[in-house]
Amino acid sequence: MRPILMKGHERPLTFLKYNRDGDLLFSCAKDHTPTVWFADNGERLGTYRGHNGAVWTCDVSRDSMRLITGSADQTVKLWNVQKGTQLYTFNFGSPARSVEFAIGDKLAVITTDPFMELTSAIHVKRIAGDSTEQTEESVLVIKGPQGRINRAVWGPLNRTIISAGEDAVIRIWDSETGKLLKESDKESGHKKTITSLTKAADGSHFLSGSLDKSAKLWDTRTLTLIKTYSTERPVNAVAMSPLLDHVVLGGGQDASAVTTTDHRAGKFEAKFYDKILQEEIGGVKGHFGPINALAFNPDGKRYGANKVSLLIYNLLMELDVVVCCVSNEPCLWKVEIYGSTDVFII
Amino acid sequence: MAAEVMLMNEIEATAAQMGIDMNIDFSSIQLPPGENCGIISDDDDVYHDDQLEFDSGFGNVIVVDNLPVVPREKFEKLEGVIRKIYSQIGVIKEDGLWMPVDPETKKTLGYCFIEYNTPQEAELAKEKTHGYKLDRAHIFAVNMFDDFDKYMKVPDEWAPPEIKPYTPGENLQKWLADEKARDQFVIRAGTDTEVLWNDARQSKTEPVYKRTYWTESFVQWSPMGTYLATVHRQGAAVWGGANTFNRLMRYAHPQVKLIDFSPGEKFLVTYSSHEPSNPRDANRVVINVFDVRTGKMMRDFKGSADEFAVGGAGGVAGNSWPVFRWGGGKEDKYFAKLGKNMISVYETETFSLIDKKSLKVENVVDFSWSPTDPIIALFVPELGGGNQPARVSLVQMPGKEELRQKNLFSISDCKMYWQSNGDYLAVKADRYTKTKKSTYTGFELFRIKERDIPIEVLELDNKNDKIIAFAWEPKGHRFAVIHGDNPRPDVSFYSMRSTHNLGRVAKLTTLKGKQANALFWSPGGRFIVLAGLKGFNGQLEFFNVDELETMATAEHFMATDVEWDPTGRYVATSVTSVHEMENGFNIWSFNGKLLYRILKDHFFQFLWRPRPPSFLTPEKEEEIARNLKKYSKKYEAEDQDVSMLLSEQDREKRRMLKEEWEKWVSEWRRAQEEEKLERQKLRDGEASDEEEEYEAKEVEVEEVLDVSEEVLSFEE
């Protein structure tokens, strides 16, 4: 299978999300229009028109019926995936940075940026089964962390919310009371802004990437630091393979410095690490700008180990989504696994 | 001087005008504690205590004694005169001139205090006006305010210095006796300075000593590795010891910028340069020479930066460091400085010029000591538009006899390269072509150790090639040259002993089109790293000159520095903070195998700890080389043990990690199972948890690729 280039966005991409089955891909970009694609052939299925600002984030319900998007236009919108119609709009006083549906899709966690005199906040909204009954009301609002909260996700059984952001601290909150339950240790934790956070398929552990040039693996329930992956560049994006014990880190220096440096100096490759041994085992070369997100297609395992999709996009140069698949045919980016005769091709 | 004389006249004139009586009563003059009172005590402690008091806060105050004692009416006049004299030297602080008055007689007391903006100005004022004759009866005695305490402490009666019982010092060479025969290096990254063992067998480092803010600018090993020198605002310090690093000695030199050890590490030269108060003046340079072990200052040199500017046509190329170059090998007998039309050679027995005068050489622009013998090679450029040819001379010290001289014609520039044993000297001469529009390069090769010092001329195959780098094989007879104008230059190897004729230079080989611009010979010779730094982004080629074959090519992206360890077993390449990214270092084996790499942000320095020269005689060394197999058996066995142990440890580590991971996974699975019902409830009874039930399996496959049988014959 050849890599698929999905052309459609006019401004840099910001976020990508596969649905649970792995057949649909949702993309967000600075061009205000989230787009849905067929993951298999890259055909554009439709767009979601209505936002009036860069769209930073999205999530799709388990049954692939509803999409939630967060935007710099200070709104979070619910959409009908099939029809592309707006179901509801939540209004905030500041841009929405991350959204996630809870298990069961009856709750959603939304983070908003600090803006004007408003501080950053984590909001929990009840999502009504029937959208005509949807209300603006928040179930819970958590404030406290300094600076932007780049990511907030649900813990096991929706009992906790895990947040991370500019203050480099990972926090676990009680999702009922909003009480702070745990904080990552200053010594062993990240030293700089946490840019990304991704959960394992079963939610038991999660991986955080930071500008301090490392990614860390944590136990979701106890916030125990399990592994640290050190790299040579600021980490913008992290992903965990659903099949193999691999983690992938992507990053690079600031976009502002990209044009002035050799592409090798920028360190734009996605790096593969052995999840357990914490050793660098491979890399994907060929990027021209910093990698800002990575994603594995969850459908991979249904087709067997031979087909793990890795989704890579970068913010600066690429307006196109590129999907590469593990297959036996050559494609755009090769993953070299060092010291092995196998060449994994994504 | 002219200014001072004028001043003198001015004062007299003013005095006459004002009708001041310049003949002042002798008895009213208080005798100052003059310079001679500052006899340096033999007692080390007193000396050091004083030397090391850096921050009394009065370093910029001088005391001028032997002033006329004047009544109140004349006070202002005298103050004006003094201010006039002293404000010429530096900026006197506001209210910085204080002349005390006897409260009873209202007369001045014959001395005053002057506070400058900087200690340097105060120092200069003391130097310039001490002994200055205001008139016959009033010869200024100027002292630093800080020195008074010191003089006060000098006892009136001489007491024999107390002889301290001998306490054996630490074994400063203990690192050489490392059981695993490892080498040390020092790195500086961020605010940390760290000494580490290079444990190449285990592909890692082992810490020896680490300290934050150990130095304020840089660190430097002494040439034989005994000391590590650190540089601070107040001066330099050396560190060493058997198992750790203790401070062994301090050398006070405020605002020291540069330091240099003598090759035998007996002496330390420190340098500082100070902004003049008058921006038109040149910077003031202070150079001190210390005895490393006692910490005693042996000699100081002070002057304007111009006097210490050396090299370059006309001597305006600025200061090149070291200003003083040490000669005569490890005995530290001589050191020399290039001056205008002369080379000043000092000897360390008396710290004065040999024969009390400098070596006069008209228009000399460069010189260089033989690394082993007291021989100076000097270069005089062409003069009189080519009427007087350029020349290179070899001069023997201390006799100053000229051993050999070579005239060179139409020379534009010249560089001298000594071979490390002092056997050969290569002079790279850039000559003008006939049109004078371009230059080409040739080499003059001197065989120092042979009778009459024969000279041979070598030109490259293509003599228009630009020379990019030149390097002698340490202790050997070969040299390497990078030449060519292409983006990918050629590298050629030559030997001073061709196979047919031992007295002739011969080319060994030329490697075409290499991405190299720097040469790094192994300290043991034979191996060389051809490095492409800067524009070539860190290309490395490990080359065996005996076999004339490339052992390995590699890249350390953006590498800025390459350094062989003192034994020639390992090579360190580093990316220092001149680049923003990639900072850190790689350790390679001599044949180009990457052993390990360490990344450090804000990486400034990587320095191998040097080793003193071997005590083995050349015969013994040769014997060892011949029977290397016998000697190396033991080490090979050790190596194998270590590598077995390592792979065993590695396996063990992997097993542990896997086990630990399994524990986590099973814990997660258990929790997942426990929560299953609740999760179902959250999903309105939907039971699909399938994606959460993955299982990772590890499969090991062994394949037999080929089986072949061979009969081996044994000959013993």
Side-chain angles (χ1 to χ4, degrees):
Chain A
M1 182 179 163
R2 290 182 52 77
I4 307 164
L5 242 70
M6 302 179 186
K7 290 179 190 287
H9 283 292
E10 286 156 11
R11 297 277 326 270
L13 290 148
T14 54
F15 197 84
L16 293 157
K17 178 82 191 170
Y18 275 110
N19 68 344
R20 176 171 164 255
D21 298 322
D23 60 338
L24 296 179
L25 172 68
F26 297 87
S27 63
C28 305
K30 288 191 179 173
D31 61 11
H32 310 184
T33 317
T35 305
V36 61
W37 317 75
F38 278 123
D40 271 357
N41 57 12
E43 199 180 305
R44 185 163 68 165
L45 196 57
T47 53
Y48 299 90
R49 290 181 188 277
H51 273 302
N52 200 20
V55 182
W56 294 124
T57 177
C58 71
D59 194 17
V60 61
S61 65
R62 188 175 156 94
D63 56 9
S64 300
M65 294 301 281
R66 263 186 285 183
L67 179 73
I68 185 165
T69 56
S71 164
D73 68 4
Q74 312 191 349
T75 65
V76 168
K77 287 178 190 288
L78 280 169
W79 310 82
N80 181 315
V81 168
Q82 253 177 309
K83 296 179 185 155
T85 51
Q86 280 184 51
L87 299 175
Y88 193 79
T89 301
F90 299 99
N91 286 298
F92 297 93
S94 60
R97 183 64 51 175
S98 96
V99 292
E100 198 194 44
F101 283 124
I103 299 168
D105 298 325
K106 290 189 195 69
L107 293 167
V109 62
I110 298 162
T111 69
T112 52
D113 290 352
F115 186 69
M116 308 291 275
E117 70 280 2
L118 287 173
T119 56
S120 59
I122 302 166
H123 309 259
V124 178
K125 302 276 185 188
R126 196 170 297 289
I127 306 294
D130 179 351
S131 55
T132 55
E133 289 165 23
Q134 183 64 48
T135 58
E136 177 91 350
E137 205 184 331
S138 289
V139 181
L140 182 71
V141 179
I142 302 169
K143 285 179 186 171
Q146 288 295 307
R148 207 157 75 192
I149 302 165
N150 282 326
R151 197 90 184 112
V153 296
W154 293 97
L157 300 179
N158 301 344
R159 279 180 191 153
T160 56
I161 290 168
I162 301 147
S163 75
E166 276 183 347
D167 64 359
V169 183
I170 296 175
R171 293 186 176 82
I172 296 185
W173 312 84
D174 186 313
S175 61
E176 288 280 322
T177 62
K179 223 180 87 193
L180 179 64
L181 300 177
K182 285 194 173 66
E183 251 184 358
S184 63
D185 184 39
K186 276 250 155 45
E187 276 297 303
S188 61
H190 284 296
K191 301 286 181 286
K192 288 184 182 168
T193 296
I194 298 168
T195 49
S196 51
L197 192 155
T198 180
K199 284 193 288 184
D202 64 358
S204 61
H205 55 288
F206 66 90
L207 186 65
S208 60
S210 160
L211 299 183
D212 69 5
K213 302 183 183 179
S214 73
K216 288 172 189 287
L217 191 76
W218 310 78
D219 179 77
T220 312
R221 292 178 177 88
T222 59
L223 199 63
T224 313
L225 178 65
I226 302 172
K227 303 280 181 193
T228 297
Y229 310 92
S230 310
T231 173
E232 295 147 40
R233 77 226 61 193
V235 179
N236 295 340
V238 291
M240 281 188 276
S241 166
L243 289 167
L244 304 164
D245 285 323
H246 290 173
V247 300
V248 187
L249 313 184
Q253 88 258 59
D254 281 348
S256 59
V258 167
T259 49
T260 61
T261 22
D262 190 307
H263 67 97
R264 286 183 299 174
K267 291 285 182 193
F268 304 132
E269 304 131 74
K271 289 279 182 194
F272 278 65
Y273 284 73
D274 187 298
K275 196 177 185 178
I276 301 165
L277 303 176
Q278 305 168 86
E279 289 162 3
E280 185 182 321
I281 51 169
V284 187
K285 289 182 181 166
H287 289 271
F288 305 109
I291 294 169
N292 279 7
L294 294 160
F296 278 101
N297 188 331
D299 79 341
K301 71 181 187 94
R302 286 202 288 157
Y303 295 96
N306 238 8
K307 195 170 178 239
V308 182
S309 304
L310 176 71
L311 195 74
I312 302 168
Y313 73 95
N314 65 61
L315 196 67
L316 183 81
M317 317 276 285
E318 302 281 337
L319 305 182
D320 309 324
V321 181
V322 180
V323 181
C324 295
C325 291
V326 170
S327 78
N328 295 325
E329 283 169 63
C331 65
L332 191 61
W333 291 318
K334 241 204 266 189
V335 180
E336 287 175 47
I337 302 292
Y338 310 141
S340 137
T341 49
D342 307 326
V343 175
F344 286 66
I345 299 168
I346 303 179
Chain B
M1 288 308 277
E4 279 169 27
V5 171
M6 215 178 70
L7 258 177
M8 188 69 206
N9 295 340
E10 261 175 43
I11 293 161
E12 271 164 8
T14 334
Q17 261 178 26
M18 302 295 294
I20 298 171
D21 181 12
M22 293 290 283
N23 299 315
I24 287 142
D25 187 8
F26 268 88
S27 57
S28 71
I29 296 167
Q30 299 191 355
L31 274 176
E35 276 247 299
N36 294 346
C37 299
I39 303 158
I40 292 166
S41 162
D42 285 334
D43 187 344
D44 266 3
D45 278 343
V46 170
Y47 178 74
H48 285 297
D49 283 348
D50 291 335
Q51 280 291 303
L52 298 176
E53 260 183 43
F54 298 109
D55 285 315
S56 68
F58 295 110
N60 48 354
V61 180
I62 56 168
V63 183
V64 186
D65 228 317
N66 266 5
L67 295 176
V69 173
V70 295
R72 201 160 51 175
E73 309 89 75
K74 293 174 186 172
F75 179 92
E76 275 180 23
K77 194 71 224 168
L78 180 62
E79 197 188 52
V81 169
I82 293 167
R83 191 178 288 280
K84 191 148 195 185
I85 297 173
Y86 282 94
S87 58
Q88 287 203 332
I89 293 161
V91 180
I92 299 175
K93 270 198 181 167
E94 213 182 320
D95 298 327
L97 173 61
W98 181 51
M99 190 152 51
V101 176
D102 188 316
E104 279 172 28
T105 64
K106 306 290 180 204
K107 278 186 174 179
T108 62
L109 292 169
Y111 56 88
C112 74
F113 301 89
I114 296 169
E115 186 177 7
Y116 280 105
N117 265 334
T118 65
Q120 285 75 34
E121 286 168 322
E123 178 90 12
L124 192 66
K126 175 193 154 187
E127 211 174 283
K128 284 224 168 149
T129 61
H130 180 70
Y132 171 65
K133 272 188 192 170
L134 189 65
D135 59 43
R136 217 181 309 143
H138 299 98
I139 301 169
F140 282 8
V142 185
N143 282 291
M144 303 297 292
F145 183 81
D146 280 352
D147 287 345
F148 270 82
D149 254 2
K150 186 163 88 190
Y151 300 143
M152 300 295 276
K153 273 193 204 152
V154 176
D156 293 338
E157 296 271 323
W158 181 81
E162 196 186 315
I163 294 166
K164 280 183 245 162
Y166 170 74
T167 47
E170 272 186 283
N171 176 4
L172 300 180
Q173 259 88 33
K174 200 173 171 214
W175 96 96
L176 291 168
D178 178 48
E179 265 182 20
K180 298 174 197 162
R182 298 171 300 181
D183 274 290
Q184 288 186 352
F185 57 84
V186 65
I187 55 169
R188 217 154 54 73
T191 54
D192 290 344
T193 304
E194 210 174 339
V195 179
L196 302 157
W197 288 109
N198 167 34
D199 206 332
R201 267 181 185 161
Q202 312 213 32
S203 290
K204 65 181 176 82
T205 59
E206 195 187 306
V208 179
Y209 188 78
K210 180 177 177 175
R211 204 176 160 121
T212 307
Y213 300 113
W214 199 354
T215 178
E216 282 172 44
S217 52
F218 61 93
V219 293
Q220 188 173 327
W221 292 106
S222 63
M224 296 202 276
T226 314
Y227 310 104
L228 182 72
T230 56
V231 179
H232 309 268
R233 236 185 339 240
Q234 304 97 323
V238 295
W239 305 71
N243 299 310
T244 177
F245 281 82
N246 298 315
R247 190 171 61 217
L248 302 172
M249 191 52 73
R250 294 201 284 182
Y251 313 94
H253 184 156
Q255 287 161 48
V256 58
K257 288 268 152 38
L258 300 164
I259 58 170
D260 181 41
F261 280 97
S262 63
E265 59 189 36
K266 285 197 188 77
F267 303 104
L268 178 74
V269 186
T270 58
Y271 166 98
S272 66
S273 162
H274 305 276
E275 290 273 329
S277 44
N278 182 346
R280 276 170 302 161
D281 292 345
N283 276 13
R284 211 173 124 71
V285 166
V286 179
I287 297 176
N288 294 330
V289 185
F290 293 94
D291 184 303
V292 169
R293 266 172 298 180
T294 63
K296 190 173 161 190
M297 199 215 279
M298 306 306 288
R299 172 87 202 240
D300 62 342
F301 300 87
K302 287 175 187 171
S304 83
D306 299 338
E307 294 168 45
F308 291 93
V310 285
V316 286
N319 276 349
S320 75
W321 183 254
V323 169
F324 290 102
R325 301 177 203 169
W326 292 87
K330 302 275 184 212
E331 280 144 44
D332 294 348
K333 265 201 179 132
Y334 308 105
F335 60 102
K337 170 175 96 66
L338 188 66
K340 229 173 218 147
N341 297 328
M342 62 182 181
I343 298 172
S344 307
V345 186
Y346 300 82
E347 46 104 8
T348 53
E349 213 137 281
T350 59
F351 276 89
S352 56
L353 290 165
I354 292 182
D355 303 337
K356 302 206 165 55
K357 51 181 187 277
S358 296
L359 178 64
K360 289 262 181 279
V361 189
E362 283 295 315
N363 294 309
V364 59
V365 293
D366 196 12
F367 79 98
S368 154
W369 286 95
S370 156
T372 48
D373 305 291
I375 298 173
I376 285 180
L378 59 89
F379 169 62
V380 181
E382 211 163 66
L383 286 174
N387 287 336
Q388 207 177 322
R391 81 190 149 92
V392 171
S393 296
L394 294 173
V395 181
Q396 174 90 46
M397 290 294 147
K400 303 184 182 174
E401 306 102 24
E402 190 165 82
L403 297 175
R404 192 75 163 89
Q405 187 196 326
K406 169 91 183 189
N407 287 338
L408 303 163
F409 295 89
S410 19
I411 291 291
S412 77
D413 196 16
C414 219
K415 278 238 156 53
M416 294 173 282
Y417 301 93
W418 283 92
Q419 183 256 12
S420 70
N421 285 355
D423 292 343
Y424 309 109
L425 170 70
V427 176
K428 186 189 98 177
D430 295 338
R431 290 188 169 84
Y432 292 114
T433 52
K434 286 215 175 89
T435 59
K436 291 229 161 189
K437 276 182 183 149
S438 56
T439 59
Y440 65 98
T441 308
F443 290 95
E444 310 280 332
L445 302 165
F446 293 64
R447 293 168 193 273
I448 308 294
K449 299 285 164 74
E450 284 171 36
R451 212 163 64 93
D452 297 337
I453 311 185
I455 303 172
E456 206 173 333
V457 181
L458 171 74
E459 276 179 358
L460 298 175
D461 295 348
N462 175 5
K463 62 182 188 179
N464 292 324
D465 271 1
K466 210 177 104 206
I467 306 293
I468 295 162
F470 174 96
W472 283 103
E473 178 184 28
K475 301 178 193 157
H477 54 88
R478 291 176 289 208
F479 60 88
V481 185
I482 305 181
H483 55 95
D485 300 312
N486 299 332
R488 284 163 169 259
D490 300 342
V491 183
S492 294
F493 294 92
Y494 292 86
S495 168
M496 292 297 281
R497 297 188 214 148
S498 61
T499 37
H500 310 296
N501 184 347
L502 286 181
R504 294 283 304 165
V505 63
K507 190 169 95 172
L508 299 170
T509 189
T510 294
L511 312 171
K512 292 273 181 203
K514 290 289 171 194
Q515 292 195 50
N517 51 18
L519 297 164
F520 300 92
W521 281 95
S522 157
R526 191 170 162 196
F527 305 112
I528 189 168
V529 175
L530 315 173
L533 307 176
K534 293 175 194 150
F536 288 128
N537 277 337
Q539 297 294 327
L540 304 167
E541 181 164 345
F542 296 78
F543 192 79
N544 180 338
V545 185
D546 274 6
E547 310 292 333
L548 294 176
E549 65 179 17
T550 301
M551 299 182 291
T553 54
E555 184 194 48
H556 182 185
F557 187 59
M558 306 286 253
T560 54
D561 297 275
V562 176
E563 200 188 353
W564 282 86
D565 87 325
T567 61
R569 295 176 295 175
Y570 307 104
V571 182
T573 59
S574 41
V575 180
T576 55
S577 60
V578 289
H579 295 302
E580 214 173 295
M581 308 281 291
E582 309 274 342
N583 278 201
F585 62 93
N586 288 5
I587 302 287
W588 311 77
S589 68
F590 74 98
N591 55 1
K593 189 180 155 218
L594 179 62
L595 299 174
Y596 59 95
R597 63 184 307 207
I598 289 179
L599 296 167
K600 293 254 179 199
D601 270 352
H602 305 289
F603 192 68
F604 300 116
Q605 271 189 305
F606 180 103
L607 294 171
W608 288 103
R609 187 173 194 171
R611 286 169 175 251
S614 160
F615 287 116
L616 297 175
T617 59
E619 295 78 39
K620 182 75 183 160
E621 271 186 40
E622 206 171 298
E623 193 249 298
I624 292 175
R626 233 179 308 131
N627 300 320
L628 193 64
K629 281 226 171 83
K630 193 175 87 192
Y631 289 105
S632 64
K633 231 174 223 159
K634 176 180 138 203
Y635 298 104
E636 272 162 20
E638 270 177 34
D639 275 356
Q640 197 160 9
D641 288 352
V642 170
S643 90
M644 292 278 280
L645 188 72
L646 273 185
S647 55
E648 186 53 42
Q649 280 175 349
D650 197 43
R651 262 202 299 278
E652 183 63 14
K653 197 184 110 200
R654 277 161 189 266
R655 204 181 52 76
M656 294 265 291
L657 284 170
K658 291 254 194 235
E659 244 169 45
E660 197 185 305
W661 182 252
E662 282 307 317
K663 222 181 276 167
W664 278 109
V665 170
S666 65
E667 171 66 22
W668 290 330
R669 206 170 288 145
R670 194 186 52 75
Q672 189 76 358
E673 196 59 35
E674 271 175 19
E675 292 168 357
K676 193 169 178 174
L677 279 177
E678 275 183 80
R679 206 165 33 245
Q680 272 186 28
K681 223 159 75 192
L682 284 173
R683 286 183 180 146
D684 296 330
E686 198 186 332
S688 166
D689 259 355
E690 47 150 340
E691 78 268 38
E692 291 150 3
E693 287 163 9
Y694 71 88
E695 201 167 318
K697 265 190 198 159
E698 198 175 305
V699 184
E700 269 182 39
V701 182
E702 210 170 284
E703 252 180 90
V704 179
L705 293 174
D706 191 18
V707 179
S708 66
E709 270 182 40
E710 243 178 274
V711 181
L712 297 170
S713 60
F714 286 92
E715 281 175 45
E716 269 300 298

